[in-house]
Amino acid sequence: MTAPDPVRAARALGGAGAAVLLIEGIVVLFVPRGIAQSGPGLSGGRLWILLALALVLILAAGLQRRPQGVVIGTALQVPLLLTGLLNGVMWFLGGAFVLIWLYLLELRKDLLGSAFGPPSATRDGGGLG
């Protein structure tokens, strides 16, 4: 099944992807607080890694209108999940965000015909019209 208007569906899914990446960036900004209160504490290196990841996630949210934005967002799910090495709670939060991202990719595949490609301009007749 493809969307009746693939371009419009691609814009909507791009907005959803941007929102997910923005929320991921904000969540990563809360991780230093959790690290500082547990385990070995917050070192300068850990802080810079987390701040850089948050910045990259927020910047990637702005790239969702571009064709490579979905690929960049997908690649950033790996370091997001790996923040679980710094704070155990991030295994769960990162995993939840990865599942949401995978769901968005599946929606893109269903509505646009490809999870990573541009929307097709043609309609395959699978809709109601």
Side-chain angles (χ1 to χ4, degrees):
M1 174 180 109
T2 58
D5 186 359
V7 174
R8 189 172 177 186
R11 289 179 61 203
L13 290 168
V20 169
L21 288 170
L22 184 64
I23 293 169
E24 287 176 0
I26 292 169
V27 166
V28 169
L29 289 175
F30 287 116
V31 174
R33 174 78 173 161
I35 293 173
Q37 295 178 346
S38 65
L42 184 63
S43 66
R46 288 180 178 191
L47 178 63
W48 281 109
I49 288 170
L50 291 169
L51 290 176
L53 178 59
L55 179 66
V56 170
L57 285 166
I58 292 169
L59 292 175
L63 294 176
Q64 291 305 297
R65 290 185 178 201
R66 301 184 190 278
Q68 67 273 21
V70 177
V71 175
I72 293 168
T74 302
L76 286 173
Q77 299 307 305
V78 175
L80 174 73
L81 190 60
L82 290 177
T83 57
L85 296 171
L86 300 175
N87 191 343
V89 173
M90 283 306 291
W91 288 116
F92 298 108
L93 288 173
F97 281 121
V98 168
L99 289 175
I100 292 169
W101 191 262
L102 290 174
Y103 178 70
L104 284 176
L105 289 179
E106 188 64 30
L107 278 177
R108 280 186 64 89
K109 185 175 155 191
D110 288 345
L111 294 176
L112 305 179
S114 170
F116 296 104
S120 60
T122 61
R123 213 170 128 187
D124 70 349
L128 296 173

